[in-house]
Amino acid sequence: MNIYTIYADVKEGYSPKDFAKNITIFLNNISTCKSFRISRMKLGFRSMDLPEFRIDMDFQTMQDLDDAMTNVLNNKDNIEQDHVAFNKMVDQETIQHFLYRDYPDE
Protein backbone atom coordinates (compact mmCIF):
# COMPACT_ATOMS: atom_id res chain seq x y z
CA MET A 1 0.00 0.00 0.00
CA ASN A 2 1.15 3.55 -0.74
CA ILE A 3 0.33 5.95 2.07
CA TYR A 4 0.13 9.65 1.25
CA THR A 5 0.34 11.59 4.51
CA ILE A 6 -0.35 15.26 5.15
CA TYR A 7 0.37 17.13 8.36
CA ALA A 8 -1.36 20.49 8.69
CA ASP A 9 -2.72 23.05 11.10
CA VAL A 10 -6.12 24.64 10.67
CA LYS A 11 -5.87 28.31 9.78
CA GLU A 12 -6.89 30.71 12.52
CA GLY A 13 -10.56 31.62 12.32
CA TYR A 14 -11.68 28.23 11.02
CA SER A 15 -13.29 25.41 12.96
CA PRO A 16 -11.33 22.14 13.31
CA LYS A 17 -14.66 20.26 13.08
CA ASP A 18 -15.51 21.99 9.79
CA PHE A 19 -12.01 21.20 8.51
CA ALA A 20 -12.45 17.51 9.34
CA LYS A 21 -15.95 17.46 7.84
CA ASN A 22 -14.81 19.10 4.60
CA ILE A 23 -11.75 16.92 4.14
CA THR A 24 -13.90 13.83 4.75
CA ILE A 25 -16.26 14.91 1.97
CA PHE A 26 -13.28 15.47 -0.34
CA LEU A 27 -11.61 12.13 0.44
CA ASN A 28 -14.86 10.20 0.11
CA ASN A 29 -15.02 11.45 -3.49
CA ILE A 30 -11.56 10.18 -4.48
CA SER A 31 -12.43 6.84 -6.02
CA THR A 32 -8.82 5.57 -6.14
CA CYS A 33 -8.29 6.15 -2.42
CA LYS A 34 -8.80 2.78 -0.71
CA SER A 35 -9.14 4.25 2.78
CA PHE A 36 -8.18 7.29 4.80
CA ARG A 37 -7.74 8.39 8.37
CA ILE A 38 -7.89 11.84 9.92
CA SER A 39 -6.27 12.20 13.31
CA ARG A 40 -5.63 15.12 15.62
CA MET A 41 -2.80 15.51 18.08
CA LYS A 42 -3.97 14.74 21.59
CA LEU A 43 -3.25 17.29 24.30
CA GLY A 44 -0.51 18.84 22.15
CA PHE A 45 1.70 15.84 22.96
CA ARG A 46 4.64 15.57 20.56
CA SER A 47 8.41 15.30 20.64
CA MET A 48 8.94 17.61 17.66
CA ASP A 49 7.15 20.56 16.11
CA LEU A 50 4.56 18.86 13.92
CA PRO A 51 1.22 20.31 12.84
CA GLU A 52 -1.88 19.32 14.78
CA PHE A 53 -3.69 17.24 12.13
CA ARG A 54 -2.49 14.16 10.28
CA ILE A 55 -4.31 12.83 7.23
CA ASP A 56 -3.33 9.39 5.85
CA MET A 57 -4.65 8.25 2.49
CA ASP A 58 -4.10 4.69 1.25
CA PHE A 59 -3.59 3.99 -2.43
CA GLN A 60 -3.03 0.50 -3.81
CA THR A 61 -0.62 1.68 -6.50
CA MET A 62 1.31 4.80 -7.38
CA GLN A 63 -0.90 5.04 -10.45
CA ASP A 64 -3.95 5.28 -8.17
CA LEU A 65 -2.32 8.22 -6.36
CA ASP A 66 -1.36 9.86 -9.65
CA ASP A 67 -4.91 9.39 -10.97
CA ALA A 68 -6.33 11.00 -7.83
CA MET A 69 -4.08 14.04 -8.21
CA THR A 70 -4.84 14.28 -11.93
CA ASN A 71 -8.59 14.14 -11.25
CA VAL A 72 -8.27 17.05 -8.81
CA LEU A 73 -6.15 19.07 -11.25
CA ASN A 74 -8.63 18.39 -14.06
CA ASN A 75 -11.63 18.98 -11.76
CA LYS A 76 -13.15 15.61 -12.64
CA ASP A 77 -16.73 15.38 -11.33
CA ASN A 78 -16.35 18.93 -9.93
CA ILE A 79 -14.04 17.65 -7.19
CA GLU A 80 -12.17 20.97 -7.05
CA GLN A 81 -14.98 22.56 -5.03
CA ASP A 82 -14.53 19.86 -2.37
CA HIS A 83 -10.75 20.40 -2.45
CA VAL A 84 -11.10 24.18 -2.02
CA ALA A 85 -13.63 23.71 0.82
CA PHE A 86 -10.98 22.21 3.10
CA ASN A 87 -7.80 23.59 1.52
CA LYS A 88 -8.79 27.19 2.28
CA MET A 89 -8.76 26.21 5.98
CA VAL A 90 -5.15 24.93 5.92
CA ASP A 91 -2.38 27.04 7.40
CA GLN A 92 -0.03 27.00 4.39
CA GLU A 93 2.96 27.74 6.64
CA THR A 94 2.64 24.38 8.41
CA ILE A 95 1.52 21.91 5.76
CA GLN A 96 3.84 18.95 5.16
CA HIS A 97 3.44 16.11 2.63
CA PHE A 98 4.94 12.63 2.88
CA LEU A 99 4.76 9.42 0.88
CA TYR A 100 5.22 6.12 2.69
CA ARG A 101 4.84 2.49 1.69
CA ASP A 102 4.24 -0.71 3.56
CA TYR A 103 7.54 -2.30 4.44
CA PRO A 104 8.95 -4.72 3.70
CA ASP A 105 7.71 -4.70 0.14
CA GLU A 106 5.40 -7.49 -0.93
Side-chain angles (χ1 to χ4, degrees):
M1 193 67 63
N2 297 280
I3 305 119
Y4 183 59
T5 298
I6 298 172
Y7 284 93
D9 286 324
V10 176
K11 196 183 293 183
E12 193 171 320
Y14 287 99
S15 159
K17 285 186 179 181
D18 288 341
F19 171 77
K21 179 186 85 173
N22 288 348
I23 198 164
T24 298
I25 291 168
F26 171 70
L27 294 174
N28 276 327
N29 288 315
I30 296 180
S31 62
T32 59
C33 182
K34 299 300 178 197
S35 63
F36 64 87
R37 174 188 220 156
I38 302 166
S39 53
R40 186 177 187 187
M41 189 162 304
K42 188 168 185 169
L43 303 172
F45 182 75
R46 55 187 160 217
S47 61
M48 60 185 353
D49 192 21
L50 290 172
E52 186 174 11
F53 280 89
R54 176 179 165 166
I55 301 100
D56 292 312
M57 296 157 271
D58 296 330
F59 294 91
Q60 190 68 42
T61 67
M62 286 299 296
Q63 186 62 56
D64 290 339
L65 174 58
D66 188 62
D67 290 347
M69 292 184 173
T70 299
N71 290 345
V72 173
L73 288 172
N74 292 332
N75 196 23
K76 184 176 179 189
D77 299 324
N78 295 316
I79 197 167
E80 181 60 17
Q81 68 188 16
D82 296 336
H83 184 248
V84 169
F86 86 85
N87 197 42
K88 70 180 180 185
M89 299 180 179
V90 173
D91 180 345
Q92 297 299 316
E93 298 294 317
T94 66
I95 193 165
Q96 300 289 323
H97 304 262
F98 302 89
L99 182 59
Y100 292 92
R101 71 178 195 271
D102 289 334
Y103 189 83
D105 294 327
E106 295 177 2

